[in-house]
């Protein structure tokens, strides 16, 4: 039932009218990706980067400026060829950010609505509704008005409604963002389990990285309408394609320097203090170029045991105890970086001298001009 | 009366304040809030409860208050029932219900279409259309009636003249039930528009998109999602416009009288104009009008306070206008047609009638003969000393109403929203009672309250002003409460922490922040009282003639030229005042202060 989704060079330009006049702005800029049948892909990016617009183009709710959307081998959107199948004929499911459950209907009426539109009647309709409500564990609430449900339950109604007719693809637009933190954690796991059990192809959009990692088979990181990197969560976290992806996924320490030499996968970077740092090279960069080295605070080791490379002398300038972890500001290599240590006991005082270990395989070199 | 009351507040509250201020640990006197609530309740009792009770007494007795004074001797429900059984009353009630039901149906058709065009389509210039669409709300009903009688009277109407010259045998007859329905409908369509446009704007577009994604067609989406969701708003706008039409005097008076169609309002006035005046019967019919209005208002409030579907998700929505392609020029054309009929045509009619020597127009070229036009009607109008006197009286009444009403509304609004004063629920409830009382009924109630007390308010400008305050107090208090609720409690609490007392905090924090709202409420009261006809009809005397009644006098005197001229003068006056209000509340003025949004809410009930 579920199909492959192919998005090719999708572009959507909005005309925005401001006080200065109207301006053109590409909300989605040349985005291409493919989702295999039964796969969950999560688009991740800060607010306003074009995630919703991409999703709405796939749904047919937005008309892209150019590009192609192919679902299960059939072209659904191709403005150049004048193809634009309306949403109602796409057989897609969509969960909206505001849930968009119809407040004047009961849970059952909400879920049965798409079936009625498709002419599914009688026992077939009843069975499908029952199965869908079972799936989201809302059978006991079937005849309640939806306005009497909690946010989490409304979200489940929206999910049941979008899956009850076994759509080719399920689209989800930040479905958890209106829920409180606790519920969000629980539903996040439920959501993946439910989608996987049905075996749907899903495109999921969020700005929350932990949500993305848990839910997605693959993640795509977006910025300013562009898809920067689309890969497995582990690849995104361990070899971010550029400085933005690195920063967005938590590599917030950035050390400026100049590439001195490179040796296979690793390069040597001279930093402000004159010391040399070894780091992984993801890009082809010529020696002599200004570069930035990015690494995650939790990869910074303070007073590491044994001998090793990339060890530097530094000092703790401040410490922020956070209960189960401690964040230190460390002055090292002529700059300031953060180090994070897990554990409920803070090991170092302010102004203490420490050896700072920067594991070379966790440091990534990026060109400074990007 | 009012002044002494305000002074007593100042004195008593100051006493508590000074004490707290002088020794810092002073205990607030426990009787101060009680005295304050007592004062407000006494004011409201004087303004609202006493006249309404007198009206009820009038409806249940048969003694003439002018001749015999008030008497409860023959009080009996039988007196009221005798009036209800009267076939003339039944006819007036029937006519009123038919006219208002028809008018509401027309208003819903136009208002709904207008809301859809403005909110949901890409029709060109829709912002302009939307603001122009509110203009009919500001036209006094009597002026609307006069303009349409000039246009559509069966023999001399300008439209019929054009039809005659064009050789079309069809004639408009506005002096008829369909005529009243038509004029009601086009002038009160903006009420329905306001409600439905707001509902459409506040509706999450995702609700409709979800239906589309689910496979529903556009018409099915509209029938199963859009309509059910905005239904409460449509019903609410319907009931409201029905209620307003029910209380209107000017339109049925002008268009119904020639055809002998009387509705409740015109019948009530006719009763008091008979000799001897039938004050008791008028009171009884007014009570019928009040009961019908009360039931409808109750229904409307129930709908409004019921589940509002449109605010389920509390975020701002990006509108998703339907691209109409070239059909958008058709919708633009229809909107312009409506505006032409409701704004341009009547204005032209008034201009022609006001400036032409004789309204009789032989043929089309005669319409453009310059020597037929002049200021003669205006000159004659101002030669009549009553004209200027009525304008001055209206301004005086407007000023008294604005000041008394503004202060009282602020005091009540503040007490209801910001204090824990005892009895504030009761104050709130009494304040909303006039919502269910049409202006004309307030007029009859005040007549009953004062006509039997020689040396009282009757015959003064104050009785008009106080009746207007009572009539509009629900609207101004509501608007001011909204304005006050937007001022965060903590702003006030911060001032208390700084050592300020209640009065000092109100003066230094609340009033400056709420000032635009208060000023707008007062200006609005001024405007509303300038154009109020219904309650003035029963309360003016030869010395206290006001503009709206004087206009009616000119119309009934049969001089259409002077009537049109005076209508124009009033429209210009109102136009200047309304522009002034808009200027007061224009964006960017009074940095940080709460922006008032009360002009439409205030006009809503006044018709
Ligand atoms: N209908 C629209 N008209 C104009 N600009 C839009 C519209 N929809 C989205 N945008 C703009 O496009 C950009 C991307 O929006 P969106 O896809 O909603 O971002 P995200 O979902 O990632 O937060 C934003 O800058 C937004 O302001
Ligand atoms: Mg979004």
């Amino acid at each position: 039932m579920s199909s492959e989704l192919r998005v090719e060079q999708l572009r959507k330009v909005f005309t925005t009218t401001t006080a200065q006049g109207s301006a053109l702005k590409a909300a989605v800029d040349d985005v291409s990706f493919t989702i295999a049948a039964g796969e969950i892909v999560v688009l991740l990016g800060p607010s306003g980067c074009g995630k919703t617009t991409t999703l709405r183009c796939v749904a047919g709710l937005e008309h892209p400026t150019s590009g192609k959307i192919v679902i299960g081998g059939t072209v659904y959107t191709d403005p150049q060829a004048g193809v634009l199948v309306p949403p109602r004929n796409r057989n897609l499911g969509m969960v909206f950010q505001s849930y968009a459950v119809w407040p004047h209907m009961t849970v059952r009426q909400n879920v049965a609505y798409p079936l009625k539109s498709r002419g599914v009647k009688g026992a077939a309709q009843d069975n499908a509704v029952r199965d869908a409500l079972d799936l989201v564990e809302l059978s006991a609430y079937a005849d309640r008005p939806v306005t009497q449900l909690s946010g989490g339950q409304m979200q489940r109604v929206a999910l049941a409604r979008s899956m009850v007719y076994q759509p080719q693809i399920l689209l989800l637009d930040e479905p958890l963002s209106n829920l409180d933190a606790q519920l969000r954690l629980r539903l996040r796991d439920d959501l993946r389990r439910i989608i996987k059990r049905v075996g749907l192809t899903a495109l999921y959009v969020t700005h929350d990285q932990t949500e993305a990692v848990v839910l997605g088979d693959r993640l795509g990181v977006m910025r300013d309408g562009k898809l920067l990197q689309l890969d497995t969560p582990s690849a995104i976290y361990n070899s971010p394609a550029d400085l933005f992806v690195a920063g967005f996924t938590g590599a917030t320490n950035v050390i400026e320097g100049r590439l001195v030499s490179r040796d296979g996968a690793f390069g040597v970077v001279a930093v402000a203090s004159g010391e040399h740092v070894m780091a992984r090279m993801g890009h082809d960069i010529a020696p002599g170029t200004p570069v930035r080295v990015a690494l995650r605070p939790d990869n910074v080791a303070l007073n590491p045991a044994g001998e090793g490379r990339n060890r530097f002398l530094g000092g703790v300038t401040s410490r922020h105890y956070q209960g189960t972890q401690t964040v230190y500001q460390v002055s090292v290599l002529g700059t300031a970086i953060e180090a994070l240590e897990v554990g409920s006991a803070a090991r170092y005082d302010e102004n203490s001298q420490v050896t700072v270990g920067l594991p070379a395989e966790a440091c990534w070199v990026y060109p400074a001009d990007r | 009366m009012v002044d002494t009351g305000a002074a007593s507040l100042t004195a008593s509250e100051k006493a508590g304040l000074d004490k707290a201020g002088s020794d810092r640990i002073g205990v607030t006197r426990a009787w101060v809030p009680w005295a304050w609530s007592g004062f407000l309740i006494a004011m409201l009792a004087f303004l609202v409860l006493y006249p309404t009770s007198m009206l009820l007494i009038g409806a249940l007795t048969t003694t003439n208050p002018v001749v015999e004074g008030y008497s409860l001797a023959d009080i009996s429900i039988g007196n009221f029932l005798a009036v209800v059984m009267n076939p003339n009353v039944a006819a007036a009630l029937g006519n009123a219900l038919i006219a208002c039901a028809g008018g509401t149906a027309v208003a819903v058709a136009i208002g709904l279409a207008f809301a859809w065009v403005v909110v949901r389509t890409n029709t060109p210039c829709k912002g302009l259309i939307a603001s122009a669409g509110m203009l009919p709300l500001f036209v006094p009903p009597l002026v609307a009636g006069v303009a349409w009688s000039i246009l559509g009277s069966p023999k001399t109407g300008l439209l019929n003249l054009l039809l005659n010259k064009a050789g079309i045998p069809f004639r408009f007859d506005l002096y008829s039930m369909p005529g009243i329905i038509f004029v009601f409908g086009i002038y009160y369509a903006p009420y329905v528009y306001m409600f439905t446009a707001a509902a459409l704007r506040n509706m999450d577009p995702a609700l409709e998109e979800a239906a589309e994604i689910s496979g529903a067609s556009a018409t099915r989406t509209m029938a199963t999602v859009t309509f059910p969701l905005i239904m409460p708003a449509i019903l609410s706008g319907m009931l409201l416009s029905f209620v307003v039409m029910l209380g209107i005097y000017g339109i049925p008076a002008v268009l119904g009288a020639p055809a002998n169609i009387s509705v409740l309002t015109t019948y009530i006035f006719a009763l008091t104009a008979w000799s001897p005046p039938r004050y008791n019967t008028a009171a009884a019919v007014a009570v019928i009008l009040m009961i019908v209005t009360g039931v409808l208002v109750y229904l409307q409030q129930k709908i409004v306070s019921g589940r509002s579907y449109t605010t389920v998700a509390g975020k701002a929505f990006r509108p998703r206008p339907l691209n109409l392609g070239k059909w958008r020029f058709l919708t633009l054309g229809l909107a312009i047609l409506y505006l032409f009929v409701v704004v341009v045509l009547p204005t032209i009619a008034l201009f022609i009638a006001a400036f032409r020597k004789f309204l009789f127009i032989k043929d089309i070229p005669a319409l453009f003969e310059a020597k037929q036009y002049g200021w003669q009607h205006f000159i004659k109008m101002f030669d009549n000393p009553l004209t200027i006197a009525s304008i001055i009286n209206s301004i005086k009444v407007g000023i008294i109403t604005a000041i008394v009403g503004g202060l009282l509304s602020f005091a009540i609004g503040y007490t209801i929203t910001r204090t824990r004063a005892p009895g504030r629920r009761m104050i709130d409830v009494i304040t909303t009672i006039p919502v269910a009382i049409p202006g004309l009924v307030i007029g009859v109630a005040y007549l009953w309250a004062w006509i039997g007390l020689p040396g009282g308010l009757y015959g003064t400008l104050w009785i008009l002003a106080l009746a207007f305050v009572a009539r509009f107090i629900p609207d101004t208090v509501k608007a001011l409460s909204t304005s006050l609720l937007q001022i965060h409690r903590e702003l006030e609490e911060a001032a208390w922490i700084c050592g300020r007392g209640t009065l000092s905090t109100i003066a230094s924090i609340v009033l400056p922040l709420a000032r635009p709202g208060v000023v707008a409420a007062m200006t609005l009261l001024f405007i509303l009282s300038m154009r109020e006809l219904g309650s003035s009809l029963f309360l003016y005397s030869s010395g206290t003639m006001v503009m709206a009644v004087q206009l009616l006098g000119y119309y009934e005197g049969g001089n259409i030229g002077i009537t049109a001229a005076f209508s124009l003068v009033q429209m210009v006056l109102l136009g200047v005042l309304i522009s002034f209000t808009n200027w007061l509340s224009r964006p960017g003025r009074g940095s940080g202060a709460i922006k008032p949004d009360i002009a439409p809410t205030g006009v809503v009930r006044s018709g």
Side-chain angles (χ1 to χ4, degrees):
Chain A
M1 208 53 213
S2 57
S3 315
E4 178 201 72
L5 166 69
R6 216 161 71 228
V7 173
E8 293 175 10
Q9 295 172 330
L10 189 72
R11 220 176 118 75
K12 171 70 190 177
V13 179
F14 283 115
T15 318
T16 46
T17 26
T18 57
Q20 284 80 40
S22 59
L24 293 177
K25 180 175 174 296
V28 177
D29 197 359
D30 198 15
V31 165
S32 304
F33 59 90
T34 302
I35 307 181
E39 189 188 24
I40 304 179
V41 165
V42 178
L43 292 181
L44 174 67
S47 176
C49 70
K51 309 178 297 283
T52 298
T53 308
T54 308
L55 206 69
R56 290 169 60 85
C57 286
V58 175
L61 291 169
E62 210 78 73
H63 304 171
T65 313
S66 61
K68 236 191 214 183
I69 287 162
V70 187
I71 302 171
T74 313
V75 178
Y76 278 84
T77 300
D78 186 356
Q80 268 85 5
V83 179
L84 220 164
V85 179
R88 66 172 176 279
N89 298 334
R90 292 196 179 208
N91 199 28
L92 303 176
M94 181 158 175
V95 178
F96 291 82
Q97 189 167 5
S98 58
Y99 319 137
V101 293
W102 298 301
H104 57 302
M105 299 183 192
T106 62
V107 170
R108 186 191 305 283
Q109 286 167 335
N110 262 279
V111 177
Y113 189 93
L115 297 172
K116 288 188 187 136
S117 302
R118 288 172 166 72
V120 180
K121 290 195 186 76
Q125 189 191 86
D126 292 345
N127 289 340
V129 170
R130 184 163 22 86
D131 290 350
L133 288 178
D134 277 346
L135 194 65
V136 296
E137 293 165 15
L138 272 184
S139 310
Y141 298 83
D143 293 307
R144 293 233 189 142
V146 289
T147 41
Q148 288 178 11
L149 301 183
S150 69
Q153 290 167 331
M154 285 203 222
Q155 202 269 336
R156 286 159 190 263
V157 175
L159 187 65
R161 183 180 67 187
S162 64
M163 304 204 318
V164 69
Y165 48 99
Q166 290 165 334
Q168 311 188 66
I169 300 203
L170 185 60
L171 307 170
L172 304 102
D173 188 0
E174 313 217 16
L176 303 180
S177 67
N178 285 336
L179 302 175
D180 61 58
Q182 292 252 305
L183 199 58
R184 196 148 60 210
L185 290 187
R186 232 192 40 239
L187 281 182
R188 185 176 77 185
D189 300 330
D190 288 355
L191 211 50
R192 179 170 168 95
R193 196 170 41 76
I194 292 170
I195 298 172
K196 280 295 175 194
R197 183 177 322 154
V198 181
L200 282 173
T201 311
L203 177 57
Y204 186 107
V205 150
T206 179
H207 65 268
D208 182 316
Q209 6 156 349
T210 49
E211 205 175 298
V213 175
V214 175
L215 265 153
D217 294 323
R218 285 189 297 152
L219 309 187
V221 179
M222 286 188 72
R223 179 200 192 182
D224 290 344
K226 295 205 167 56
L227 183 59
L228 301 177
Q229 185 177 11
L230 179 67
D231 217 328
T232 61
S234 129
I236 298 267
Y237 271 72
N238 293 309
S239 50
D242 66 20
L243 206 55
F244 177 81
V245 177
F248 193 71
T249 52
T252 46
N253 287 323
V254 176
I255 305 166
E256 312 254 347
R258 183 176 295 278
L259 189 67
V260 177
S261 64
R262 83 174 281 175
D263 168 22
F266 289 88
V268 175
V269 176
V271 298
S273 62
E275 288 158 294
H276 283 188
V277 179
M278 261 188 86
R280 289 173 77 118
M281 302 283 296
H283 293 252
D284 205 7
I285 304 170
T289 323
V291 292
R292 289 190 177 137
V293 178
L295 86 162
R296 314 172 62 80
D298 50 299
N299 281 333
V300 177
L302 299 181
N303 286 343
E307 285 295 301
R309 325 231 335 235
N310 271 2
R311 300 274 162 93
F312 307 98
L313 225 50
V316 174
T317 54
S318 70
R319 136 185 140 168
H320 304 282
Y321 179 66
Q322 297 172 351
T324 55
Q325 59 184 35
T326 308
V327 176
Y328 299 96
Q329 290 285 335
V330 180
S331 123
V332 70
L333 299 170
T335 174
I337 66 171
E338 276 188 347
L340 185 152
E341 275 201 350
V342 178
S344 57
R347 289 200 298 157
Y348 305 100
D349 291 323
E350 281 181 15
N351 301 324
S352 52
Q353 291 288 312
V354 286
T355 307
V356 180
L358 307 177
E361 55 286 349
C363 299
W364 285 85
V365 182
Y366 299 104
D369 54 5
R370 268 209 269 147
Chain B
M1 174 75 210
V2 176
D3 287 343
T4 23
S8 87
L9 147 80
T10 325
S12 58
E13 289 249 303
K14 247 203 192 109
L17 175 75
D18 287 345
K19 196 161 164 49
S22 54
D23 56 21
R24 296 274 152 194
I25 49 166
V27 186
T28 324
R29 289 177 193 170
W31 57 268
V32 170
W34 287 94
W36 175 237
S37 296
F39 163 71
L40 286 181
I41 292 174
M43 287 292 290
L44 288 170
F46 171 74
L47 283 170
V48 179
L49 300 183
Y50 167 63
T52 333
S53 316
M54 290 314 289
L55 179 73
L56 290 177
I57 289 174
L60 297 174
T61 58
T62 54
T63 39
N64 183 329
V66 185
V67 186
E68 299 147 294
Y70 302 118
S71 157
L72 297 178
D74 66 336
I75 193 158
S76 147
I77 192 88
N79 292 327
F80 178 67
L81 290 179
V83 174
V84 176
M85 299 304 171
N86 183 321
N88 289 336
V89 174
L93 177 63
N95 282 337
L97 295 181
I98 294 171
C100 297
T104 302
V106 175
V108 166
I110 298 176
L112 213 62
F114 217 75
W116 180 74
V117 166
V118 168
V119 181
R120 283 309 177 83
T121 69
N122 64 340
T123 302
C125 319
K126 59 184 188 185
L128 207 64
I129 292 175
S131 356
M134 302 304 276
L135 283 178
L137 281 184
F138 296 96
V139 180
L142 180 59
V143 173
V146 168
W148 277 95
S149 85
I150 297 169
L151 283 167
S153 97
K155 296 209 183 65
T156 56
L158 293 178
L159 293 177
N160 290 327
L161 178 88
L162 287 178
L163 289 176
N164 186 26
K165 298 302 164 199
I168 301 169
F170 178 79
R171 295 287 176 273
F172 290 105
D173 181 6
L174 269 281
Y175 293 162
S176 62
M177 185 54 94
I180 298 175
I181 287 175
F182 166 76
V183 176
F184 268 163
I186 60 171
Y187 279 91
Y188 297 98
Y191 289 58
V192 181
Y193 160 77
M194 278 198 299
F195 278 74
T196 37
L200 280 174
R201 263 193 207 105
N202 295 340
M203 189 167 82
D204 185 353
L207 291 168
E208 288 168 299
E209 288 170 357
E212 276 181 69
I213 298 258
S214 302
S217 64
T219 42
R220 195 177 139 77
T221 302
M222 208 180 245
T224 55
V225 175
T226 318
F227 257 112
L229 287 179
I230 62 169
M231 210 53 205
I234 298 176
L235 277 178
S236 185
M238 266 172 72
L239 285 171
L240 188 81
S241 54
F242 192 101
V243 162
V244 172
M245 290 174 200
L246 204 57
I248 291 216
Y249 178 82
I251 291 173
V254 171
L255 301 179
N260 272 328
I261 300 171
S262 66
V263 296
L264 286 177
T265 51
T266 52
Y267 190 64
I268 292 173
F269 184 59
L271 286 169
T272 62
W274 281 349
S275 64
R278 308 283 175 84
Y279 289 129
N280 302 83
T281 318
V285 181
V287 168
I288 298 175
L289 180 54
M290 191 164 83
I291 291 170
V292 176
T293 308
V295 169
L296 295 173
V297 167
Y298 174 77
L299 284 180
Q300 197 246 354
Q301 299 285 322
K302 259 203 112 61
I303 291 170
V304 170
S305 64
R307 252 177 327 184
S308 165
Y309 294 138
T310 50
T311 51
V312 171
K315 62 167 192 169
F317 302 113
R318 203 193 287 281
R320 209 168 67 103
L322 182 69
N323 189 344
L324 290 179
K326 60 180 189 298
W327 290 104
R328 69 186 191 277
F329 295 107
L330 177 72
T331 52
L332 175 67
L334 287 175
I336 289 176
L337 177 69
Y338 168 68
L339 292 175
F340 179 77
V341 168
V342 80
V343 178
V344 180
L345 265 187
T347 313
I348 292 177
L350 287 178
F351 267 97
I352 292 179
F355 286 99
R356 255 188 98 84
K357 287 204 184 88
F358 304 101
L359 199 52
F360 174 73
I361 299 169
K362 192 159 80 267
D363 46 24
I364 303 295
L367 190 59
F368 298 100
E369 268 174 51
K371 71 174 191 331
Q372 285 287 342
Y373 291 86
W375 292 94
Q376 62 285 340
H377 296 309
F378 287 86
I379 293 165
K380 229 168 122 193
M381 176 180 83
F382 284 113
D383 275 347
N384 183 346
L386 270 182
T387 305
I388 296 285
S390 75
I391 294 177
I392 291 173
N393 280 339
S394 283
I395 292 174
K396 280 188 193 159
V397 173
I399 290 172
I400 302 174
T401 310
I403 292 174
V404 175
L407 287 179
L408 187 64
S409 303
F410 181 79
I412 294 175
Y414 186 86
T415 308
I416 295 173
T417 58
R418 300 302 239 198
T419 70
R420 295 178 193 288
R424 57 180 200 287
R425 274 295 305 154
M426 187 172 157
I427 296 175
D428 195 4
V429 170
I430 303 178
T431 307
T432 43
I433 290 177
V435 164
I437 313 182
L440 202 104
V441 175
I442 297 239
V444 180
Y446 266 70
L447 174 92
W448 263 96
W450 297 103
I451 200 167
L453 295 179
L457 288 174
Y458 197 79
T460 66
L461 287 176
W462 278 86
I463 193 173
L464 288 159
L466 294 182
F468 297 166
V469 169
R471 169 144 159 66
F472 298 120
I473 204 158
D475 307 282
T476 37
V477 167
K478 185 139 181 284
L480 280 176
S481 301
T482 318
S483 195
L484 284 169
L485 282 173
Q486 287 174 41
I487 301 170
H488 203 288
R489 255 217 103 76
E490 287 175 2
L491 292 174
E492 228 176 315
E493 286 165 353
W496 295 343
I497 300 289
C498 292
R500 295 300 189 100
T502 310
L503 276 192
S504 163
T505 302
I506 293 175
S508 61
I509 308 289
V510 182
L511 256 180
L513 286 174
R515 197 198 60 216
V518 176
V519 172
M522 286 179 148
T523 334
L524 186 73
L525 274 174
F526 187 75
I527 294 172
L528 291 177
S529 59
M530 294 277 278
R531 35 167 284 177
E532 174 68 10
L533 174 64
S535 32
S536 317
L537 276 176
F538 305 91
L539 303 176
Y540 79 94
S541 64
S542 52
T544 57
M545 179 59 82
V546 288
M547 274 182 358
V549 180
Q550 183 60 35
L551 179 63
L552 188 67
Y554 280 136
Y555 177 76
E556 295 193 327
N559 191 326
I560 205 72
I562 294 185
T563 311
F566 201 33
S567 298
L568 284 181
V569 169
Q570 295 195 14
M571 295 289 287
V572 169
L573 262 172
L574 282 174
V576 169
L577 282 171
I578 289 162
S579 321
F580 177 68
T581 320
N582 282 342
W583 175 80
L584 276 181
S585 57
R586 73 181 190 271
R589 203 169 164 281
S591 55
I594 308 304
K595 296 285 175 299
D597 177 28
I598 67 171
T601 33
V603 184
V604 150
R605 269 191 329 111
S606 72

